[in-house]
């Protein structure tokens, strides 16, 4: 809500007189100016939004893929440990020379936050030359559980 | 462990190899309370309201993307049809509103804002008339504003005056934006039976019966369906339909959760999931490729319409179980310039406008992103629009025309917009005169099926 200055009101009055031309009467001009002033002072329509924080609860699923080499599981779990995340389940497979790792991590009990976890693990993946994905479990729940 | 190894790998395969993404999260905003007697005041109110409601839209969607590891290709805004929100303005004043929308979109960091629209299937108000008159200039002078006009419906019939006028508007828009290959026409859609909750720009707007604000989501995923059909190999049609349904279920569930979380993060109600399969110019993310994977030599071959009908129906059946909030278009899109397979078929001469028209009878949305010679007369374009409207009106479905008469170009040449709009070869249009028919004026009456009560 803002208050208009006398200069601004003067400008509006001039504009109203110009627009009305010969049909201008003091009553009409007064009415138009009052309308415009009240509308401007009211400002844009208000609307109340109530955003919720996007969840940092539940479990996330960490997946890593790449060429096998010693230390992948160690480096990734080390990163999780350092950020104080609790590992719930680990599953690892090596097919020919290709390494696949899936770790389920509980993020609700940890002090660390999801974004930190994602950034850190992506970096770790880059250093090791493997691709690491971090996704909230809800996506898997909704896609595969009816 | 509660998650199976294969399910996790499959999801990553979808997002990493098959281009699975959420095509759009579109924030609908009502502008009905922004009207005022002065165009500048209205424009300011519109700008203020949009920027206030949508200021966190893009950042919020990015958070959701990070959380689920699924990308959201577009974050967009739809508003109340401007002809309704600002009825009473003159054409020049409507252009000011378009600029306000453009500025608001830029401020919010969204690439397109839709709803520079009018609904005239049964007739024009004075405001509708002025607004439609302003479209070519508005689209030429803004970058982000998208426009649509509904000219027909099953209930009202076809407003042939509006059809003809829109043909002229398209030609004029092409001319005013000729230095950019008529890009204005890529932002302009003519509809029959337009849905009021469609999240897909350019045809989106925030319907007048919608709430104050709402968030709608449009899924994508032709690449995922293509991959599942290829892996299925030889099978009968029942098995094929089942496979598509299963895939559609998964992608719709992903769309639903992402839509809901995005809405929660913004603090707005969640609206609908649009079950449309929308292609992109990326290799493999193509409806044409799906049709070919079903066993046709090329899209356009006899059997194409049947294949598309099977695809479209199966996507809906899989999707309807996955979400209780279905809306929008909900049908496969067949935009030519945005689908590598379609472009290839047009270039090889396998796909004509007439075949595309037949295909639009069994899917959404219509003749979409089709480049034609710039010399095509407005009356011929009106004939094309009238044909699409007739299909939509009689079959009680949405149809649309987004056609690009490319100034100074002819069959054999193409236009390249880059990005999601892609590249369109100029298609031949039948050189026969429709002018006496389309200039009769008045309304084509609605079909008998409009009398449902």
């Amino acid at each position: 809500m803002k208050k208009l200055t006398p200069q601004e009101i003067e400008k509006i009055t001039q504009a109203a007189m110009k627009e009305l031309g010969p049909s201008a009467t003091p009553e009409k001009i007064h009415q138009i100016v009052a309308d415009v002033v009240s509308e401007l002072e009211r400002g844009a329509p208000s609307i109340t939004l109530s955003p919720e924080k996007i969840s940092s609860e539940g479990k996330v699923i960490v997946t890593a893929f790449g060429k096998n080499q010693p230390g992948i599981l160690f480096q990734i779990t080390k990163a999780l440990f350092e950020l104080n995340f609790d590992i719930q389940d680990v599953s690892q497979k090596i097919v020919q020379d290709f390494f696949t790792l899936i770790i389920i991590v509980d993020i609700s009990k940890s002090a660390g936050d999801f974004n930190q976890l994602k950034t850190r693990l992506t970096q770790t993946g880059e250093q090791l030359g493997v691709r690491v994905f971090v996704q909230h479990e809800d996506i898997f729940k909704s896609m595969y559980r009816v | 462990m509660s998650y199976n190894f294969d399910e996790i790998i499959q999801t990553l395969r979808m997002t990493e190899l098959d281009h699975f993404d959420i095509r759009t999260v579109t924030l609908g905003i009502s502008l009905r309370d922004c009207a005022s007697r002065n165009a500048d005041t209205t424009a300011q109110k519109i700008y203020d309201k949009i920027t206030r409601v949508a200021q966190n839209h893009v950042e919020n969607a990015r958070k959701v993307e990070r959380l689920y590891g699924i990308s959201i290709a577009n974050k967009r805004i739809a508003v109340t049809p401007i002809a309704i929100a600002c009825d009473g303005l003159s054409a020049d004043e409507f252009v000011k509103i378009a600029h306000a929308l453009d500025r608001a979109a830029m401020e919010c960091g969204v690439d397109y804002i839709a709803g520079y629209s009018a609904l005239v299937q049964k007739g024009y108000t004075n405001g509708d008339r002025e607004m439609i008159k302003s479209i070519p200039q508005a689209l030429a002078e803004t970058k982000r504003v998208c426009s649509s006009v509904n000219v027909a419906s099953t209930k009202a019939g076809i407003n042939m005056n509006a059809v003809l006028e829109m043909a002229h508007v398209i030609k004029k828009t092409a001319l005013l934006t000729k230095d950019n290959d008529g890009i204005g026409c890529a932002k302009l859609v003519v509809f029959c039976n337009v849905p009021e909750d469609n999240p897909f720009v350019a045809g989106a707007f925030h319907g007048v019966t919608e709430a104050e604000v709402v968030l709608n989501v449009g899924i994508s995923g032709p690449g995922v369906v293509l991959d599942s059909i290829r892996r299925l190999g030889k099978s009968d049609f029942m098995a094929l339909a089942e496979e598509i349904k299963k895939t559609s279920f998964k992608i719709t569930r992903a769309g639903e959760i992402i839509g809901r979380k995005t809405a929660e993060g913004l603090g707005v109600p969640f609206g609908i999931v649009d079950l449309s399969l929308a292609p992109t110019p990326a290799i493999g993310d193509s409806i044409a490729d799906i049709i070919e994977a079903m066993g046709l030599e090329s899209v356009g071959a006899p059997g194409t319409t049947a294949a598309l009908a099977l695809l479209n129906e199966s996507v809906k059946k899989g999707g309807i179980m996955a979400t209780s909030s279905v809306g929008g278009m909900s049908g496969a899109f067949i935009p030519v310039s945005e689908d590598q397979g379609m472009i290839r078929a047009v270039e090889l001469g396998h796909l004509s406008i007439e075949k595309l028209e037949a295909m639009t009878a069994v899917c959404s949305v219509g003749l979409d992103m089709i480049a034609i010679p710039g010399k095509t007369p407005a009356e011929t374009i009106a004939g094309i629009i009238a044909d699409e409207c007739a299909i939509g009106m009689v079959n009680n479905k949405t149809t649309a025309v987004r056609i690009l008469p490319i100034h100074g170009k002819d069959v054999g040449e193409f236009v390249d917009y880059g990005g999601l709009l892609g590249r369109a070869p100029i298609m031949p249009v039948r050189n026969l005169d429709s002018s006496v028919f389309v200039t009769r004026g008045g309304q084509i009456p609605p079909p008998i099926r409009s009398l449902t009560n």
Side-chain angles (χ1 to χ4, degrees):
Chain A
M1 172 108 136
K2 71 167 196 175
K3 277 273 167 228
L4 293 176
T5 63
Q7 287 81 2
E8 285 170 317
I9 295 174
E10 172 68 26
K11 254 171 107 180
I12 295 165
T13 314
Q14 295 290 350
M17 281 163 70
K18 203 172 149 200
E19 196 183 310
L20 287 168
S23 69
T25 62
E27 292 76 36
K28 271 190 188 168
I29 294 171
H30 182 263
Q31 185 57 48
I32 290 173
V33 173
D35 283 355
V36 173
V37 169
S38 82
E39 210 168 282
L40 285 174
E41 287 184 344
R42 203 162 0 115
S46 68
I47 175 167
T48 320
L49 303 177
S50 42
E52 286 173 32
K53 199 167 176 301
I54 291 177
S55 158
S56 51
E57 297 210 328
K59 293 175 198 158
V60 298
I61 297 182
V62 177
T63 318
F65 289 105
K67 197 170 177 313
N68 190 30
Q69 57 173 297
I72 302 178
L73 181 58
F74 170 72
Q75 291 294 351
I76 289 175
T77 48
K78 180 168 162 252
L80 290 170
F81 167 72
E82 283 172 6
L83 293 172
N84 200 21
F85 283 106
D86 184 26
I87 294 174
Q88 306 250 308
D89 200 344
V90 181
S91 160
Q92 183 194 315
K93 273 183 192 169
I94 294 171
V95 181
Q96 287 162 350
D97 212 17
F98 200 74
F99 171 95
T100 311
L101 167 69
I102 296 174
I103 303 179
I104 299 180
V105 181
D106 193 335
I107 54 170
S108 40
K109 290 179 202 153
S110 162
D113 100 308
F114 177 82
N115 287 326
Q116 215 181 352
L117 171 70
K118 192 151 185 161
T119 317
R120 173 71 189 269
L121 288 180
T122 311
Q123 280 168 2
T124 309
E126 277 163 15
Q127 284 157 12
L128 292 164
V130 296
R131 296 201 62 188
V132 181
F133 301 92
V134 185
Q135 292 168 289
H136 196 276
E137 66 164 349
D138 283 354
I139 194 83
F140 300 97
K141 253 192 210 163
S142 67
M143 285 172 78
Y144 298 97
R145 303 287 175 267
V146 177
Chain B
M1 110 182 191
S2 56
Y3 299 100
N4 159 335
F5 209 85
D6 291 340
E7 290 169 352
I8 293 170
I9 303 300
Q10 196 189 357
T11 308
L12 288 174
R13 188 186 164 85
M14 283 164 72
T15 54
E16 297 305 306
L17 294 178
D18 300 333
H19 312 285
F20 174 59
D21 57 16
I22 301 304
R23 177 51 54 82
T24 180
V25 287
T26 303
L27 184 59
I29 304 172
S30 169
L31 299 182
R32 280 161 56 186
D33 52 2
C34 293
S36 91
R37 57 179 299 125
N38 175 292
D40 293 319
T41 313
T42 309
Q44 188 61 42
K45 281 179 160 185
I46 287 176
Y47 175 87
D48 289 347
K49 181 161 185 188
I50 294 171
T51 49
R52 189 180 310 162
V53 175
Q55 58 184 339
N56 295 324
H57 182 36
V58 173
E59 182 46 37
N60 175 62
R62 293 219 173 100
K63 274 187 201 156
V64 177
E65 278 180 308
R66 280 199 293 273
L67 188 62
Y68 296 113
I70 291 182
S71 93
I72 302 172
N74 301 310
K75 297 96 182 164
R76 289 175 172 165
I77 299 173
V79 295
T80 308
I82 289 297
I84 295 172
C86 306
D87 205 355
L89 299 186
S90 69
D92 291 342
E93 291 170 330
F94 272 112
V95 174
K96 287 184 184 174
I97 304 294
H99 281 285
L101 293 173
D102 203 38
R103 281 200 312 276
M106 191 168 74
E107 174 67 26
C108 298
V110 305
D111 56 353
Y112 290 113
I113 182 165
Y116 198 72
S117 306
L119 311 175
V120 295
Q121 60 268 34
K122 209 166 177 188
Y124 293 87
T125 64
N126 291 333
D128 290 332
R129 210 177 287 284
E130 291 295 312
M131 187 270 164
I132 290 174
K133 211 193 288 174
S134 77
I135 291 175
Q137 194 190 344
L139 293 181
E141 290 179 7
T142 60
K143 266 206 163 108
R144 296 174 166 79
V145 175
C146 292
S147 177
S148 59
V149 176
N150 192 63
V151 297
S153 75
T154 301
K155 280 282 178 197
I158 307 174
N159 181 347
M160 286 300 291
N161 297 335
V163 168
L164 183 60
E165 185 177 2
M166 284 314 295
H168 285 288
V169 166
I170 290 169
K171 289 277 285 185
K172 192 166 173 201
T173 305
L175 186 65
L176 290 183
T177 54
K178 68 177 163 41
D179 296 338
N180 295 311
D181 277 333
I183 185 95
C185 295
K187 299 181 287 176
L188 175 58
V189 193
V190 184
F191 272 106
C192 168
N193 288 327
V194 68
E196 303 219 343
D197 51 5
N198 160 31
F200 287 100
V201 169
F205 62 78
H206 184 76
V208 288
T209 55
E210 298 281 321
E212 190 65 34
V213 283
V214 69
L215 188 113
N216 295 324
V217 60
I219 60 162
S220 173
V224 185
V225 175
L226 176 65
D227 183 59
S228 69
I229 293 176
R230 282 192 179 146
R231 281 200 282 177
L232 176 70
K234 202 166 159 48
S235 73
D236 74 355
F237 286 110
M238 277 298 190
L240 185 58
E242 273 305 306
E243 188 62 31
I244 300 170
K245 276 162 65 182
K246 282 186 206 156
T247 310
S248 166
F249 176 82
K250 286 179 217 158
I251 58 185
T252 308
R253 292 287 271 209
E256 155 121 352
I257 186 169
I258 286 192
R260 284 193 187 282
K261 289 291 167 186
T262 310
E264 272 173 28
L266 277 176
V268 306
F270 176 63
I272 55 94
V273 183
D274 188 319
L275 303 178
S276 300
L277 276 192
T280 66
I283 300 288
D285 207 20
S286 154
I287 300 291
D289 286 359
I290 295 176
I291 287 168
E292 289 166 19
M294 287 187 192
L296 292 166
E297 184 183 340
S298 165
V299 61
T304 298
T305 312
L308 186 57
L310 169 73
L311 170 68
N312 202 39
E313 287 301 312
S314 309
V315 167
K316 285 189 218 170
K317 286 172 190 160
I320 201 86
M321 168 80 179
T323 173
S324 299
S325 322
V326 180
M329 311 271 197
S330 290
F333 290 173
I334 49 169
V336 173
S337 76
E338 299 170 9
D339 185 317
Q340 280 298 334
M342 294 282 178
I343 297 170
R344 190 174 59 232
V346 170
E347 282 178 331
L348 292 170
H350 296 155
L351 193 55
S352 64
I353 289 188
E354 287 76 8
K355 186 64 183 175
L356 281 163
E357 183 186 314
M359 290 160 74
T360 65
V362 298
C363 75
S364 82
V365 65
L367 294 174
D368 195 12
M369 290 302 284
I370 293 172
I372 57 171
K375 63 180 188 208
T376 311
E379 288 74 16
T380 303
I381 295 176
I384 293 172
I385 297 172
D387 283 344
E388 267 311 302
C389 288
I391 291 174
M393 172 181 79
V394 171
N395 295 300
N396 205 7
K397 74 184 287 295
T398 305
T399 48
V401 175
R402 182 161 53 147
I403 202 161
L404 318 152
I406 307 300
H407 199 79
K409 290 199 177 173
D410 214 330
V411 178
E413 296 177 89
F414 64 87
V415 283
D416 197 343
Y417 298 118
L420 274 178
L421 292 175
R423 172 174 161 272
I426 314 264
M427 295 183 75
V429 177
R430 278 188 195 277
N431 196 15
L432 299 169
D433 185 19
S434 314
S435 60
V436 177
F437 179 75
V438 299
T439 54
R440 277 175 178 271
Q443 191 88 357
I444 293 184
I448 195 77
R449 73 157 41 170
S450 67
L451 303 176
T452 49
N453 299 334

